Amino acid sequence: MRRHLAALLMGLVALATPAAANDFPNRPIRILHGFAAGGNADIVARIMAEEMRKTLGQTLVVEARPGAGGNIASQATARSEADGYTIVLLTTAHAISPALIKTLNFDPMSDFQFLSMVTDFPFFIVVNEASRFKTIQELVSEARAKPGVLTAGTAGVGTGHHMGLELMSSALDVKFVHVPYRGDAGSITGVLGNTVDFIIAPGAAVLSSIEGGKLRALAVTGPQRWPATPTVPTLSESVSPGLEMMAWIGFAAPNNVPRPVVDRLNTAIRQAVESPEVRARLASLGGYPSASTPEEMTRKVAAQIALWKDVAAKAGMQAQ
């Protein structure tokens, strides 16, 4: 009798799951992210939510869960129902955390079903317009001649900016003094006030000051020159062939979400990213919009985790 009952229940579950997936979504979807309202992650989440609604036919509610480098939102997502109604906007911080935090309350790979990438962001190496450094070659040359003297400002310890600085230091075999600030605004104030020699920051934070003549960009860290600053070389073409440092944003859900739901969400993300309006808005934030398959994002996140663990080890950074 018990065996028959168990078989019946399993059969009902098997029938119910596809039905629920085919009906997806039939209520609003939450998009969590782990950063302050009004910040880059929040802006991207709202841009995507607005466009994804057109495909999904449901409201997407953006909810900020700031703190712990995005890990509060990641943990909340990992513990949510695997039904597709809670998804999370992840950033580079998701791949950096395993290198810097000994014990996470979730597994950054196995607890998530990755859905799609949204955009990549290059950083800019920036100095005060009045700086003695006119080129990235001049800055690197002085850093090699005076190891541990030049100061580099970033948005904080363990950020993509900071880890990018460590990656650049390792690739160029130079040593900078890291000066962490609380966000990009602080580092920009620092370089404008000549407190630091240069900063690493995303385009969204510095492009207006570059265009306004307050800051000078020495290099961009992406695979190609940024369209709005065509005279600014990449690190790869100027000082270290193959050197790239990119931040990224993408979406994930709890693991074990039914594949039809994954595919529905992936389609909505891809269509949003391919929208000319969304592409223009993401580009205005300094990003290269590019969606992906779930499998491509899974491979990317795994590779990023391995990269930042390696960078942290070479820099002597101990997980806390």
Side-chain angles (χ1 to χ4, degrees):
M1 180 68 179
R2 287 182 180 175
R3 266 184 283 179
H4 290 306
L5 181 58
L8 177 61
L9 288 172
M10 288 177 68
L12 289 173
V13 169
L15 288 171
T17 299
N22 291 335
D23 190 39
F24 179 87
N26 57 27
R27 64 178 189 270
I29 296 168
R30 291 192 306 162
I31 298 178
L32 305 185
H33 70 76
F35 302 91
N40 215 37
D42 188 60
I43 292 170
V44 172
R46 293 181 188 282
I47 290 171
M48 291 296 293
E50 179 184 340
E51 193 66 24
M52 288 168 66
R53 176 185 58 79
K54 299 175 185 177
T55 300
L56 295 171
Q58 288 289 342
T59 300
L60 287 88
V61 180
V62 176
E63 185 178 326
R65 297 277 189 96
N71 290 330
I72 291 174
S74 293
Q75 179 179 314
T77 303
R79 294 179 178 178
S80 296
E81 285 291 323
D83 54 12
Y85 288 97
T86 298
I87 63 176
V88 62
L89 183 137
L90 298 177
T91 71
T92 315
H94 185 79
I96 291 173
S97 289
L100 302 180
I101 301 175
K102 258 183 193 175
T103 306
L104 289 170
N105 292 323
F106 56 86
D107 187 292
M109 290 299 300
S110 64
D111 283 344
F112 296 87
Q113 167 60 64
F114 298 103
L115 299 172
S116 172
M117 294 298 301
V118 172
T119 187
D120 292 307
F121 290 95
F123 292 103
F124 285 80
I125 310 299
V126 179
V127 297
N128 189 309
E129 177 61 28
S131 170
R132 65 187 180 279
F133 300 116
K134 307 302 181 188
T135 67
I136 186 66
Q137 290 92 336
E138 290 176 355
L139 187 147
V140 172
S141 178
E142 184 165 322
R144 284 178 173 149
K146 302 175 181 177
V149 172
L150 295 187
T151 52
T154 75
V157 174
T159 59
H161 317 48
H162 175 204
M163 299 302 284
L165 174 68
E166 298 296 347
L167 175 60
M168 184 173 77
S169 299
S170 176
L172 297 173
D173 194 24
V174 296
K175 181 65 177 175
F176 299 109
V177 178
H178 178 220
V179 181
Y181 289 89
R182 295 186 67 179
D184 290 311
S187 69
I188 292 169
T189 299
V191 76
L192 286 173
N194 295 311
T195 304
V196 290
D197 292 303
F198 71 97
I199 63 172
I200 294 181
V206 296
L207 281 171
S208 62
S209 295
I210 293 169
E211 292 165 358
K214 294 181 180 180
L215 297 175
R216 180 189 303 120
L218 301 184
V220 62
T221 68
Q224 59 200 45
R225 296 190 181 198
W226 185 249
T229 56
T231 61
V232 177
T234 65
L235 287 176
S236 180
E237 70 182 287
S238 57
V239 291
S240 181
L243 176 59
E244 295 176 12
M245 297 151 26
M246 298 286 281
W248 53 267
I249 286 177
F251 282 110
N255 196 19
N256 295 321
V257 170
R259 185 68 198 205
V261 173
V262 171
D263 291 340
R264 183 96 167 99
L265 289 167
N266 177 264
T267 296
I269 296 166
R270 293 176 77 91
Q271 290 183 354
V273 171
E274 289 163 6
S275 157
E277 181 182 350
V278 168
R279 294 185 75 81
R281 293 176 73 182
L282 292 175
S284 73
L285 295 172
Y288 291 108
S290 180
S292 71
T293 66
E295 292 75 21
E296 287 168 341
M297 184 176 178
T298 299
R299 290 192 292 270
K300 177 162 184 165
V301 175
Q304 284 272 293
I305 289 173
L307 168 66
W308 297 123
K309 282 184 175 180
D310 182 61
V311 168
K314 287 178 179 177
M317 300 168 70
Q318 298 294 321
Q320 302 296 317

